[in-house]
Amino acid sequence: MKKLINDPNNVVAESVEGFGLAHSDLVTVHPDPLFVSRSDAPVRGKVALVSGGGSGHEPLHAGYVGLGMLDSAVPGAMFTSPTPDQIIPATLAVDGGVGVLHIVKNYTGDVLNFETAAEMAAASGVDVRTVLVNDDVAVEDSLYTAGRRGVGGTVFVEKIAGAAAERGDSLDDVTAVAQRVIDNVRSMGVALAACTVPHAGTPSFELTDQEIEIGIGIHGEPGRHRIAMESADGITSRLLEPIVADLSLERGDKVLIMVNGMGGTPASELYIVYRRAVQLLGEQGIEVRRSLVGNYITALEMQGASISILRLDDELLELWDAPVHTAALRWGA
Amino acid sequence: MKKLINDPNNVVAESVEGFGLAHSDLVTVHPDPLFVSRSDAPVRGKVALVSGGGSGHEPLHAGYVGLGMLDSAVPGAMFTSPTPDQIIPATLAVDGGVGVLHIVKNYTGDVLNFETAAEMAAASGVDVRTVLVNDDVAVEDSLYTAGRRGVGGTVFVEKIAGAAAERGDSLDDVTAVAQRVIDNVRSMGVALAACTVPHAGTPSFELTDQEIEIGIGIHGEPGRHRIAMESADGITSRLLEPIVADLSLERGDKVLIMVNGMGGTPASELYIVYRRAVQLLGEQGIEVRRSLVGNYITALEMQGASISILRLDDELLELWDAPVHTAALRWGA
């Protein structure tokens, strides 16, 4: 294993420390228990958004802390849920007096630990709601999940709910818009090559030189099937078609699309996938109104990509376009 | 070779087409001969900036086309210089009547082809100047270069000269500030694992499981030496010390630093390198005023990183902070 790390035990702490140094205008890093908050938190009178999960998916979640998005992010160990001991102070620290929304990717450990933390925070008098992101159409249950996994759609939930909170929506309304995003977003990914978790020291799964895995999870969990390598255009169809079917997208629908790199994929390849996705959607009369192409939710240095599609309505589009200033997404501010 | 591509012959064309679809608010893609221009070009009365080079280093250069940075970018084939046939129309298309600056990374093919294009554009009545970026301290001459190679410092040159052009500086002044950046920026990189150029189909060089290459070029050209894998902190010292020495940085100097991923390196590892770099500079009384951490000049999916440092003065800092709106860098606009 060759990685730019020191001790595998310190990877997350040192990385988050570096993140805090690089973005000290945006965030404060709380080292023990570890969480990252907006430097101006708590924002009085604003609903606060908290998310978190295993590390290794950067820029998710700390890269999305800032104006118009998250108030705090809770990094667990690599590919390991954060603990209630972290989530509770991350919740209390950002409560602006009008409630906190927990945005949780649907993995068993995350769900349990956020649930425990929400109960404890509620006992301290904070009004906490939770939404579960479960946008991955690849599989129903999997290695770490009952039901569908939460993947790239999480970025859309955090951005759009964050904009709703920033404009002053109530906890009920922010929760409702987050849920509306979840109801209208689907994702699917592909792996060409696995990543190596520092602690493990060996690749998280094996693919031969000729194989790819369709429907891969962001921890290398099994997907739908392994197939022989094929063209980018072919792979794009395999990712896109189940999403379009599951969302029941129809001619005239407007969408936001993300073509996301898993961490080890050149940008040039992501744009080739994006090109084909736009062509395929266009052939079906589905209009791409906004897009993201890049590394937004990764699996360390995994080679591969995922596609996420959100069906837009006017309000979701307006909230997407609202100002955001975080380490990984910035416009209008 | 597993890549998200179709025909290796079409990788650049399809990727740039996808880039144009994703960023149609910012750029226009001219498919034949291939170049990418600001969608509002030519901007009358503004000095125009043109850069280009082999593809495979995305977001360089097309990702830096837009307000406050480049007016056009000319993508060559993978790791291959663009031709005068591309550079000439890319120059003529963006000339706003007050001259064009060519920002050229110091590789023999790029230098020759930009020189030819500059002569042809001049023959058409356009005032063209050229700056050569040669910031890589690793080696003097190399596989594709006489003198030092141009690498990460190019991002700083494009941003700062772009801001000078945007505020209305003359061609002389824009050229002078670009040269001042070049005179004050140095870079050095490391590779942990090679990339594969689609046409070649095999890795561009070989490193064993225990080896890394210090001073690697962005095409996998040999660096200073191969050493056994060591800690991120140790590697950071090896990259930083030659830069600090070559720039003769002293206590009290203010710098802009970029910790750049080569394309296949997780963000978490880049922040570990950044953390150590800030510590080392701090110990020497050198003040980090601004920073970038991420994939800004890559070598396809190469695993590794580079550090670039620019000695700042007040004007360079002001120009760095000026608004920019491109696919890969955006603030203040």
Side-chain angles (χ1 to χ4, degrees):
Chain A
M1 177 184 66
K2 291 189 288 188
K3 286 179 173 288
L4 293 169
I5 64 173
N6 297 302
D7 183 337
N9 291 310
N10 299 337
V11 168
V12 172
E14 291 180 357
S15 172
V16 175
E17 184 186 341
F19 178 83
L21 290 168
H23 306 289
S24 57
D25 55 329
L26 292 174
V27 302
T28 303
V29 172
H30 307 261
D32 189 21
L34 183 66
F35 69 96
V36 177
S37 64
R38 258 174 83 153
S39 51
D40 58 350
V43 182
R44 299 298 311 171
K46 187 187 85 69
V47 170
L49 270 59
V50 178
S51 192
S55 291
H57 307 301
E58 292 73 20
L60 196 79
H61 296 271
Y64 300 124
V65 172
L67 175 85
M69 221 162 159
L70 298 179
D71 293 83
S72 63
V74 195
M78 281 288 166
F79 289 4
T80 302
S81 300
T83 61
D85 280 355
Q86 299 172 261
I87 305 167
I88 294 165
T91 302
L92 299 179
V94 299
D95 173 38
V98 291
V100 178
L101 178 63
H102 282 177
I103 298 172
V104 183
K105 300 195 300 301
N106 187 36
Y107 297 97
T108 307
D110 290 5
V111 173
L112 289 174
N113 289 346
F114 269 93
E115 192 172 281
T116 301
E119 286 166 8
M120 298 295 289
S124 299
V126 179
D127 194 0
V128 182
R129 309 286 166 85
T130 300
V131 291
L132 290 184
V133 186
N134 59 351
D135 55 316
D136 190 340
V137 299
V139 292
E140 274 303 322
D141 301 322
S142 84
L143 209 50
Y144 308 110
T145 331
R148 288 178 166 180
R149 303 175 295 215
V151 288
T154 313
V155 177
F156 299 166
V157 177
E158 294 178 0
K159 169 66 184 82
I160 288 173
E166 205 72 54
R167 75 176 174 189
D169 282 14
S170 69
L171 182 57
D172 278 347
D173 289 345
V174 173
T175 305
V177 83
Q179 189 59 52
R180 197 156 97 238
V181 175
I182 293 168
D183 294 342
N184 285 284
V185 65
R186 301 289 187 279
S187 301
M188 187 143 149
V190 60
L192 278 60
C195 59
T196 297
V197 177
H199 250 105
T202 54
S204 51
F205 57 96
E206 292 288 347
L207 287 169
T208 71
D209 282 354
Q210 305 300 327
E211 278 178 327
I212 61 175
E213 175 121 5
I214 299 286
I216 195 79
I218 54 172
H219 313 94
E221 314 96 292
R224 285 193 174 186
H225 38 248
R226 292 190 173 189
I227 61 170
M229 183 64 201
E230 57 182 42
S231 69
D233 285 0
I235 292 169
T236 304
S237 293
R238 289 181 186 272
L239 301 184
L240 199 69
E241 281 166 12
I243 294 171
V244 169
D246 206 87
L247 273 178
S248 304
L249 286 178
E250 293 178 355
R251 187 166 292 275
D253 278 344
K254 297 171 185 10
V255 299
L256 161 64
I257 177 170
M258 174 168 75
V259 174
N260 170 64
M262 292 293 198
T265 303
S268 49
E269 298 181 24
L270 300 180
Y271 282 112
I272 290 174
V273 171
Y274 178 78
R275 167 185 172 275
R276 184 60 184 155
V278 171
Q279 287 174 347
L280 290 170
L281 292 169
E283 287 167 8
Q284 297 170 72
I286 297 159
E287 189 188 343
V288 175
R289 293 296 303 275
R290 295 291 184 276
S291 58
L292 288 180
V293 183
N295 291 340
Y296 293 99
I297 170 172
T298 62
L300 292 166
E301 72 283 2
M302 188 189 286
Q303 292 189 335
S306 64
I307 296 178
S308 297
I309 293 185
L310 171 65
R311 185 191 351 249
L312 287 169
D313 57 38
D314 290 345
E315 188 189 23
L316 295 183
L317 180 57
E318 182 187 321
L319 291 166
W320 178 256
D321 284 345
V324 60
H325 186 178
T326 67
L329 273 193
R330 182 174 183 181
W331 55 74
Chain B
M1 177 183 67
K2 291 189 288 188
K3 287 180 172 286
L4 293 168
I5 64 174
N6 296 302
D7 183 338
N9 292 310
N10 299 337
V11 168
V12 172
E14 291 180 358
S15 172
V16 176
E17 184 186 341
F19 178 83
L21 291 168
H23 305 290
S24 57
D25 54 329
L26 293 173
V27 302
T28 302
V29 172
H30 307 262
D32 188 22
L34 183 66
F35 69 97
V36 177
S37 64
R38 259 175 82 153
S39 51
D40 58 350
V43 182
R44 298 299 311 171
K46 186 187 85 68
V47 170
L49 270 59
V50 178
S51 191
S55 291
H57 307 301
E58 291 73 21
L60 195 81
H61 295 271
Y64 300 125
V65 172
L67 176 85
M69 221 163 160
L70 298 179
D71 294 82
S72 63
V74 194
M78 281 289 166
F79 290 4
T80 302
S81 301
T83 62
D85 280 356
Q86 298 173 263
I87 304 168
I88 295 165
T91 301
L92 300 179
V94 299
D95 173 39
V98 291
V100 178
L101 178 64
H102 282 177
I103 298 173
V104 183
K105 301 195 299 302
N106 188 36
Y107 297 97
T108 307
D110 289 5
V111 172
L112 289 173
N113 290 346
F114 269 93
E115 193 172 281
T116 302
E119 287 167 8
M120 298 295 289
S124 298
V126 179
D127 194 0
V128 182
R129 309 286 167 85
T130 300
V131 290
L132 290 183
V133 186
N134 58 352
D135 55 315
D136 190 341
V137 299
V139 292
E140 274 303 323
D141 301 323
S142 84
L143 208 51
Y144 308 110
T145 330
R148 286 178 167 180
R149 303 174 295 214
V151 288
T154 313
V155 178
F156 298 167
V157 177
E158 294 178 1
K159 169 64 185 82
I160 288 173
E166 205 72 54
R167 75 177 175 189
D169 282 14
S170 69
L171 181 57
D172 278 347
D173 289 346
V174 173
T175 306
V177 82
Q179 189 59 52
R180 197 156 98 238
V181 175
I182 293 168
D183 293 342
N184 285 284
V185 66
R186 300 290 187 279
S187 301
M188 186 142 150
V190 60
L192 278 59
C195 60
T196 298
V197 177
H199 251 105
T202 54
S204 50
F205 57 96
E206 291 289 346
L207 288 170
T208 70
D209 282 352
Q210 305 301 325
E211 278 179 328
I212 61 175
E213 175 122 3
I214 299 286
I216 195 80
I218 55 171
H219 313 94
E221 313 96 292
R224 286 192 174 187
H225 37 247
R226 291 190 174 190
I227 61 170
M229 183 65 201
E230 57 182 41
S231 69
D233 285 0
I235 292 169
T236 304
S237 293
R238 289 181 186 271
L239 301 183
L240 199 69
E241 282 166 13
I243 295 172
V244 169
D246 207 87
L247 273 177
S248 303
L249 286 178
E250 293 178 355
R251 186 166 294 274
D253 278 344
K254 297 173 185 9
V255 299
L256 161 63
I257 177 170
M258 174 167 75
V259 174
N260 170 63
M262 292 292 199
T265 303
S268 50
E269 298 181 24
L270 300 180
Y271 282 112
I272 290 174
V273 171
Y274 178 79
R275 167 185 172 275
R276 184 60 183 155
V278 171
Q279 287 174 349
L280 289 169
L281 292 169
E283 287 167 8
Q284 296 170 72
I286 299 160
E287 189 187 342
V288 174
R289 293 295 303 274
R290 295 292 184 276
S291 59
L292 288 180
V293 183
N295 291 340
Y296 293 100
I297 170 172
T298 61
L300 293 166
E301 72 282 4
M302 188 188 285
Q303 292 189 335
S306 65
I307 296 178
S308 297
I309 293 184
L310 171 66
R311 186 192 350 250
L312 287 169
D313 58 38
D314 290 345
E315 188 191 22
L316 295 183
L317 179 57
E318 181 187 321
L319 290 167
W320 178 257
D321 285 344
V324 60
H325 186 178
T326 67
L329 272 193
R330 182 173 184 181
W331 55 74

PDB file of all heavy atoms in Angstrom, chain B residues 6 46 65 83 146 152 156 162 225 239 246 259 298 330:
ATOM      1  N   ASN B   6     -14.538   5.667 -25.076  1.00  0.00           N
ATOM      2  CA  ASN B   6     -15.016   4.884 -26.203  1.00  0.00           C
ATOM      3  C   ASN B   6     -13.770   4.547 -27.034  1.00  0.00           C
ATOM      4  O   ASN B   6     -12.933   3.793 -26.587  1.00  0.00           O
ATOM      5  CB  ASN B   6     -16.094   5.665 -26.959  1.00  0.00           C
ATOM      6  CG  ASN B   6     -17.312   5.901 -26.072  1.00  0.00           C
ATOM      7  OD1 ASN B   6     -17.905   4.935 -25.582  1.00  0.00           O
ATOM      8  ND2 ASN B   6     -17.659   7.138 -25.811  1.00  0.00           N
ATOM      9  N   LYS B  46      -9.996  44.437 -23.999  1.00  0.00           N
ATOM     10  CA  LYS B  46      -9.320  43.680 -22.932  1.00  0.00           C
ATOM     11  C   LYS B  46      -8.209  42.835 -23.550  1.00  0.00           C
ATOM     12  O   LYS B  46      -8.413  42.203 -24.587  1.00  0.00           O
ATOM     13  CB  LYS B  46     -10.316  42.758 -22.217  1.00  0.00           C
ATOM     14  CG  LYS B  46      -9.725  42.039 -20.998  1.00  0.00           C
ATOM     15  CD  LYS B  46     -10.662  41.006 -20.389  1.00  0.00           C
ATOM     16  CE  LYS B  46     -10.573  39.656 -21.060  1.00  0.00           C
ATOM     17  NZ  LYS B  46      -9.293  38.956 -20.828  1.00  0.00           N
ATOM     18  N   VAL B  65     -10.970  28.684 -18.420  1.00  0.00           N
ATOM     19  CA  VAL B  65     -11.486  29.664 -19.374  1.00  0.00           C
ATOM     20  C   VAL B  65     -12.710  30.343 -18.761  1.00  0.00           C
ATOM     21  O   VAL B  65     -13.630  29.662 -18.314  1.00  0.00           O
ATOM     22  CB  VAL B  65     -11.858  28.991 -20.717  1.00  0.00           C
ATOM     23  CG1 VAL B  65     -12.581  29.977 -21.635  1.00  0.00           C
ATOM     24  CG2 VAL B  65     -10.606  28.441 -21.404  1.00  0.00           C
ATOM     25  N   THR B  83      -1.447  21.977 -32.019  1.00  0.00           N
ATOM     26  CA  THR B  83      -0.763  22.398 -33.253  1.00  0.00           C
ATOM     27  C   THR B  83      -1.033  23.876 -33.533  1.00  0.00           C
ATOM     28  O   THR B  83      -2.031  24.444 -33.060  1.00  0.00           O
ATOM     29  CB  THR B  83      -1.281  21.571 -34.440  1.00  0.00           C
ATOM     30  OG1 THR B  83      -2.681  21.827 -34.585  1.00  0.00           O
ATOM     31  CG2 THR B  83      -1.065  20.082 -34.206  1.00  0.00           C
ATOM     32  N   ALA B 146      13.910  21.553 -22.728  1.00  0.00           N
ATOM     33  CA  ALA B 146      15.199  22.181 -22.439  1.00  0.00           C
ATOM     34  C   ALA B 146      14.920  23.211 -21.358  1.00  0.00           C
ATOM     35  O   ALA B 146      14.044  24.059 -21.513  1.00  0.00           O
ATOM     36  CB  ALA B 146      15.751  22.846 -23.691  1.00  0.00           C
ATOM     37  N   GLY B 152       2.549  23.248 -12.001  1.00  0.00           N
ATOM     38  CA  GLY B 152       1.456  23.858 -11.242  1.00  0.00           C
ATOM     39  C   GLY B 152       1.440  25.375 -11.215  1.00  0.00           C
ATOM     40  O   GLY B 152       0.370  25.984 -11.092  1.00  0.00           O
ATOM     41  N   PHE B 156      -1.350  29.619 -11.302  1.00  0.00           N
ATOM     42  CA  PHE B 156      -1.206  30.952 -10.695  1.00  0.00           C
ATOM     43  C   PHE B 156      -1.001  32.021 -11.774  1.00  0.00           C
ATOM     44  O   PHE B 156      -1.538  33.123 -11.678  1.00  0.00           O
ATOM     45  CB  PHE B 156      -0.012  30.971  -9.734  1.00  0.00           C
ATOM     46  CG  PHE B 156      -0.122  30.028  -8.567  1.00  0.00           C
ATOM     47  CD1 PHE B 156       1.001  29.756  -7.784  1.00  0.00           C
ATOM     48  CD2 PHE B 156      -1.316  29.417  -8.215  1.00  0.00           C
ATOM     49  CE1 PHE B 156       0.931  28.909  -6.694  1.00  0.00           C
ATOM     50  CE2 PHE B 156      -1.401  28.559  -7.130  1.00  0.00           C
ATOM     51  CZ  PHE B 156      -0.268  28.308  -6.369  1.00  0.00           C
ATOM     52  N   GLY B 162      -4.777  36.880 -15.671  1.00  0.00           N
ATOM     53  CA  GLY B 162      -6.172  37.037 -16.081  1.00  0.00           C
ATOM     54  C   GLY B 162      -6.857  38.170 -15.338  1.00  0.00           C
ATOM     55  O   GLY B 162      -7.633  38.939 -15.925  1.00  0.00           O
ATOM     56  N   HIS B 225      14.838  11.328  -8.230  1.00  0.00           N
ATOM     57  CA  HIS B 225      15.282  10.013  -7.775  1.00  0.00           C
ATOM     58  C   HIS B 225      14.096   9.182  -7.320  1.00  0.00           C
ATOM     59  O   HIS B 225      13.057   9.716  -6.938  1.00  0.00           O
ATOM     60  CB  HIS B 225      16.309  10.118  -6.645  1.00  0.00           C
ATOM     61  CG  HIS B 225      16.065  11.224  -5.681  1.00  0.00           C
ATOM     62  ND1 HIS B 225      16.895  12.314  -5.561  1.00  0.00           N
ATOM     63  CD2 HIS B 225      15.067  11.431  -4.795  1.00  0.00           C
ATOM     64  CE1 HIS B 225      16.416  13.138  -4.642  1.00  0.00           C
ATOM     65  NE2 HIS B 225      15.315  12.625  -4.168  1.00  0.00           N
ATOM     66  N   LEU B 239       9.464  17.601  -0.975  1.00  0.00           N
ATOM     67  CA  LEU B 239       8.930  18.481  -2.026  1.00  0.00           C
ATOM     68  C   LEU B 239       9.131  19.946  -1.661  1.00  0.00           C
ATOM     69  O   LEU B 239       9.437  20.783  -2.520  1.00  0.00           O
ATOM     70  CB  LEU B 239       7.436  18.215  -2.242  1.00  0.00           C
ATOM     71  CG  LEU B 239       7.036  16.798  -2.644  1.00  0.00           C
ATOM     72  CD1 LEU B 239       5.529  16.735  -2.900  1.00  0.00           C
ATOM     73  CD2 LEU B 239       7.795  16.316  -3.869  1.00  0.00           C
ATOM     74  N   ASP B 246      15.042  27.219  -3.506  1.00  0.00           N
ATOM     75  CA  ASP B 246      15.164  27.821  -4.834  1.00  0.00           C
ATOM     76  C   ASP B 246      14.553  29.218  -4.882  1.00  0.00           C
ATOM     77  O   ASP B 246      15.019  30.092  -5.618  1.00  0.00           O
ATOM     78  CB  ASP B 246      14.499  26.912  -5.875  1.00  0.00           C
ATOM     79  CG  ASP B 246      15.107  27.087  -7.249  1.00  0.00           C
ATOM     80  OD1 ASP B 246      16.105  26.417  -7.546  1.00  0.00           O
ATOM     81  OD2 ASP B 246      14.581  27.922  -8.015  1.00  0.00           O
ATOM     82  N   VAL B 259      -1.498  22.625  -2.935  1.00  0.00           N
ATOM     83  CA  VAL B 259      -1.212  21.192  -2.840  1.00  0.00           C
ATOM     84  C   VAL B 259      -2.146  20.525  -3.841  1.00  0.00           C
ATOM     85  O   VAL B 259      -3.370  20.535  -3.677  1.00  0.00           O
ATOM     86  CB  VAL B 259      -1.428  20.649  -1.423  1.00  0.00           C
ATOM     87  CG1 VAL B 259      -1.275  19.133  -1.400  1.00  0.00           C
ATOM     88  CG2 VAL B 259      -0.428  21.287  -0.460  1.00  0.00           C
ATOM     89  N   THR B 298      -3.390  17.860 -13.456  1.00  0.00           N
ATOM     90  CA  THR B 298      -3.304  16.426 -13.197  1.00  0.00           C
ATOM     91  C   THR B 298      -2.519  15.711 -14.295  1.00  0.00           C
ATOM     92  O   THR B 298      -2.100  16.320 -15.279  1.00  0.00           O
ATOM     93  CB  THR B 298      -4.725  15.828 -13.130  1.00  0.00           C
ATOM     94  OG1 THR B 298      -5.368  16.047 -14.394  1.00  0.00           O
ATOM     95  CG2 THR B 298      -5.550  16.478 -12.024  1.00  0.00           C
ATOM     96  N   ARG B 330     -13.636  29.444  -8.932  1.00  0.00           N
ATOM     97  CA  ARG B 330     -14.703  30.443  -8.910  1.00  0.00           C
ATOM     98  C   ARG B 330     -14.776  31.124  -7.555  1.00  0.00           C
ATOM     99  O   ARG B 330     -14.888  30.452  -6.533  1.00  0.00           O
ATOM    100  CB  ARG B 330     -16.054  29.784  -9.205  1.00  0.00           C
ATOM    101  CG  ARG B 330     -17.179  30.808  -9.229  1.00  0.00           C
ATOM    102  CD  ARG B 330     -18.485  30.200  -9.682  1.00  0.00           C
ATOM    103  NE  ARG B 330     -19.503  31.224  -9.792  1.00  0.00           N
ATOM    104  CZ  ARG B 330     -20.760  30.986 -10.149  1.00  0.00           C
ATOM    105  NH1 ARG B 330     -21.146  29.765 -10.430  1.00  0.00           N
ATOM    106  NH2 ARG B 330     -21.637  31.963 -10.220  1.00  0.00           N
TER     107      ARG B 330
END
